[in-house]
Amino acid sequence: MSKNTHRSGFVNIVGNPNVGKSTLMNRLVGEKISIITAKSQTTRHRIIGIVNTPEYQVVYSDTPGVLRPNYKLQESMLNFSLSALDDADVLLYVTDVVEKIDKNDEFLGKVQRLNLPILLLINKIDQTNQDELEKMVAQWQELLPKAEIYPISALNNFNVDVVQKRILELLPDSPPYFEKDALTDKPARFFVTEIIREKALLIYQKEVPYSIEVVVEEFKEENDIIRIRAIVLVERDSQKGIVIGHKGESLKKLGTMARKDIERFFEKKVFLQLYVKVEKDWRNRDNMLKTFGYRLVD
């Protein structure tokens, strides 16, 4: 690359739920930006992580897993994933060795029609053998003949560096899209809500974590401490009781786990107050979804 050239581009990560997109995103960016839990539908927004050097700027974008929507929140999540097909310079389509290849034909059809570089990443290869992997590669070559296929393990950081190198080769010549010291396009409060939501996914069972949204009411950064007040919203009174728990034990556990991670993220001491509030059926209410930053389908 000549000294005068600068490369920038949007590298968007798409795929079905639970294939390891967020783990891969965090590997590529080198920071914990996306929520990672074993539960599906963890990522609800399109989350951007930016990697800068003097020569290039890679704008990575993690998207919600593609699924058929059952309520308006999921329609918004699908909308974020579809928008990632429109503005990508390089598309990373992530699958794994476990999921059925034809799991989401409709979305895959849209990917097949794209005219841009596609890297198909077969994740979790530590969970299969060479013969099975070769069969899978052949099937994907038939489905996405224009894609370059890379077997990887995001968890074990296998082959991720090879993918990174290829991404840099594919970036178009362009000035940076963001300030060169930017790590993401999201404000600090966004990461507080994501961290609290991640811990809720780990602590609570069944439908409860999917009914939770977090709103940061106060984020006050002082010299030696950040003071945060956040509301944990649920859809029903019964869920409120579960989130708080016996004598407030569950909420206390949520607060402690989240605070430790928030302190790690901001490298600063944090004072965190959590409150629980019922907001009936928020996942299907347009005004609530817009307030939380979800993009509604017209």
Side-chain angles (χ1 to χ4, degrees):
M1 195 188 301
S2 78
K3 280 187 176 169
N4 305 328
T5 314
H6 186 280
R7 292 184 182 186
S8 286
F10 288 85
V11 178
N12 300 347
I13 305 169
V14 298
N16 291 320
N18 261 12
V19 292
K21 294 186 299 299
S22 296
T23 306
L24 175 68
M25 166 83 163
N26 292 332
R27 285 278 184 217
L28 292 167
V29 177
E31 297 277 345
K32 190 174 177 194
I33 277 185
S34 291
I35 286 189
I36 306 165
T37 71
K39 292 186 169 83
S40 64
Q41 299 177 46
T42 312
T43 303
R44 285 182 184 167
H45 291 265
R46 192 169 158 186
I47 298 172
I48 280 179
I50 302 162
V51 177
N52 288 298
T53 75
E55 293 84 30
Y56 63 80
Q57 181 179 79
V58 194
V59 185
Y60 288 106
S61 187
D62 186 15
T63 59
V66 177
L67 40 76
R68 286 185 173 79
N70 290 321
Y71 41 85
K72 282 190 174 176
L73 169 64
Q74 289 185 337
E75 284 176 18
S76 166
M77 288 159 64
L78 180 61
N79 218 24
F80 282 127
S81 302
L82 291 172
S83 73
L85 302 183
D86 296 335
D87 60 18
D89 291 301
V90 180
L91 191 77
L92 304 186
Y93 187 97
V94 185
T95 179
D96 65 19
V97 298
V98 185
E99 74 169 2
K100 291 187 174 72
I101 282 184
D102 59 357
K103 186 171 176 182
N104 209 324
D105 287 350
E106 206 177 314
F107 188 78
L108 191 57
K110 288 184 168 66
V111 174
Q112 284 166 330
R113 292 192 288 277
L114 292 175
N115 189 21
L116 69 141
I118 299 169
L119 306 187
L120 181 97
L121 310 182
I122 302 175
N123 194 19
K124 306 180 188 174
I125 58 162
D126 44 308
Q127 294 178 29
T128 190
N129 58 48
Q130 191 63 29
D131 287 351
E132 290 299 313
L133 184 60
E134 282 172 16
K135 274 185 218 160
M136 215 170 285
V137 168
Q139 283 175 298
W140 276 111
Q141 268 168 342
E142 223 166 283
L143 278 172
L144 287 174
K146 287 188 284 189
E148 297 177 25
I149 299 175
Y150 293 85
I152 65 162
S153 169
L155 190 64
N156 299 316
N157 213 6
F158 173 76
N159 240 9
V160 176
D161 55 338
V162 176
V163 173
Q164 269 172 318
K165 187 169 177 284
R166 184 64 184 128
I167 288 167
L168 296 183
E169 289 167 359
L170 292 167
L171 284 184
D173 289 351
S174 163
Y177 291 97
F178 295 91
E179 294 293 328
K180 291 289 274 190
D181 59 353
L183 174 64
T184 180
D185 66 331
K186 293 279 188 274
R189 285 170 181 243
F190 176 80
F191 292 100
V192 172
T193 64
E194 289 289 275
I195 289 167
I196 296 169
R197 218 164 53 74
E198 176 187 44
K199 302 312 169 198
L201 280 158
L202 296 171
I203 293 170
Y204 304 112
Q205 299 303 308
K206 298 181 182 155
E207 180 62 13
V208 173
Y210 300 112
S211 304
I212 283 176
E213 184 59 72
V214 180
V215 178
V216 176
E217 286 210 318
E218 182 181 82
F219 185 96
K220 233 159 97 186
E221 195 158 357
E222 297 170 12
N223 284 339
D224 52 354
I225 196 166
I226 302 171
R227 296 183 189 279
I228 300 168
R229 187 173 68 245
I231 308 288
V232 178
L233 294 180
V234 290
E235 290 192 307
R236 296 194 296 277
D237 291 321
S238 57
Q239 293 168 343
K240 182 178 179 177
I242 292 166
V243 171
I244 293 169
H246 181 60
K247 292 184 177 173
E249 286 301 315
S250 298
L251 188 63
K252 194 176 166 187
K253 185 179 179 183
L254 175 64
T256 304
M257 286 172 71
R259 179 183 53 76
K260 286 178 179 168
D261 251 27
I262 295 166
E263 285 180 338
R264 265 198 292 274
F265 189 87
F266 290 105
E267 296 178 341
K268 206 167 189 178
K269 198 167 163 47
V270 167
F271 176 69
L272 175 66
Q273 288 176 295
L274 291 181
Y275 300 91
V276 186
K277 185 179 163 189
V278 178
E279 196 60 75
K280 296 259 191 275
D281 199 29
W282 69 263
R283 288 184 296 179
N284 270 316
R285 285 163 58 191
D286 289 4
N287 62 332
M288 296 300 296
L289 291 168
K290 279 180 185 161
T291 304
F292 303 144
Y294 295 106
R295 184 189 296 185
L296 300 185
V297 184
D298 296 327

